[in-house]
Amino acid sequence: MLALLLEDDAVLSSEIALFLESKSIKTDKAEDGEKFLDIFSKKPYDVFLLDINVPKINGLDICKTIRETNSETPIIIISAYDGIEEKKEAFLRAADDYLVKPFLLEELLLRINSQMRRLTPKTEEKEKIVIEDLIIYPEDSKVFRSGEEINLTVKEFQLLVLLAKANGRTLSKQHISDEVWKNQFQSTNNAIEVYINFLRKKIDKNFKTKLIHTRPGFGYYLSPL
């Protein structure tokens, strides 16, 4: 699960992110509204956590902006404002929940899980493969790395999904040939090497952590290690 947090208190922001990541919810952070919208525009998220009183663009305006293009992803307001007017305004802008500071991190987790259960079955069932900062959506044929969308050809995408679903296991050229090329031609081994190089240029070249590796004499595997 991926969360995007808008919170200008650096200490609280780090505490929330560390806690959620310990519960398998990867959390990106923004300390002001403009940075939030920049991150928001680059990749999809499963839940948004918004403080109201933040620099540049406040959380209520961010909530409204999100809902202009995204009607489904849960939005939880986390704010020190406990007045009815702020809560009313948040729900008028289509927030899903409102949690008043200070709060227990466990309660935030309960609120997030509650919202996720309300999603439509279609949203819940959409397959997503996450490996480090690489996110693959097999149904939509989309790939993101560090928030940047990577454009792949059909064969490149099929090869990447095959490697990703292997969970770090080494796949032989024969196995890759059977699954991706269906043994359509004799020079499959050379084609596999060429396409592995294509993938490395797109998936790994511009990023510090390399994901696609060769195990000499055995084949290829995808892993952050």
Side-chain angles (χ1 to χ4, degrees), residues 93-112:
R93 299 190 187 207
D96 296 286
D97 202 350
Y98 194 111
L99 187 58
V100 177
K101 299 177 184 177
F103 52 80
L104 296 175
L105 294 175
E106 286 289 351
E107 182 176 0
L108 175 60
L109 180 63
L110 291 173
R111 302 286 186 103
I112 292 172

Side-chain angles (χ1 to χ4, degrees), residues 11-167:
V11 174
L12 178 58
S13 178
S14 294
E15 287 179 352
I16 291 173
L18 286 171
F19 173 78
L20 293 181
E21 291 184 359
S22 74
K23 304 299 181 181
S24 300
I25 303 176
K26 180 174 172 54
T27 305
D28 292 338
K29 301 179 292 181
E31 67 275 6
D32 64 64
E34 288 184 359
K35 183 175 181 181
F36 180 97
L37 290 180
D38 180 59
I39 299 172
F40 166 73
S41 68
K42 292 178 179 178
K43 62 181 176 182
Y45 287 89
D46 299 299
V47 63
F48 299 111
L49 308 173
L50 308 179
D51 187 10
I52 294 178
N53 188 23
V54 296
K56 298 184 179 179
I57 306 174
N58 71 57
L60 293 178
D61 288 339
I62 291 291
C63 183
K64 180 181 178 182
T65 299
I66 292 172
R67 286 297 182 237
E68 289 173 354
T69 58
N70 183 325
S71 62
E72 294 185 353
T73 303
I75 297 175
I76 300 175
I77 302 295
I78 51 172
S79 175
Y81 295 132
D82 61 355
I84 190 62
E85 289 304 318
E86 286 81 13
K87 294 177 181 178
K88 179 180 178 181
E89 188 62 29
F91 288 115
L92 284 174
R93 299 190 187 207
D96 296 286
D97 202 350
Y98 194 111
L99 187 58
V100 177
K101 299 177 184 177
F103 52 80
L104 296 175
L105 294 175
E106 286 289 351
E107 182 176 0
L108 175 60
L109 180 63
L110 291 173
R111 302 286 186 103
I112 292 172
N113 288 337
S114 175
Q115 291 302 324
M116 297 309 297
R117 285 195 295 269
R118 296 179 184 179
L119 293 176
T120 63
K122 181 178 180 181
T123 302
E124 289 179 344
E125 292 171 3
K126 181 172 284 190
E127 183 181 6
K128 176 172 63 178
I129 304 171
V130 180
I131 301 172
E132 290 290 298
D133 58 347
L134 177 70
I135 303 175
I136 306 170
Y137 293 89
E139 295 177 25
D140 299 330
S141 298
K142 288 184 177 294
V143 179
F144 296 85
R145 179 125 199 228
S146 290
E148 175 186 342
E149 185 168 4
I150 309 293
N151 293 316
L152 301 179
T153 66
V154 173
K155 288 298 182 188
E156 289 169 352
F157 185 78
Q158 290 174 346
L159 177 56
L160 179 64
V161 171
L162 182 68
L163 290 169
K165 287 187 173 181
N167 294 318

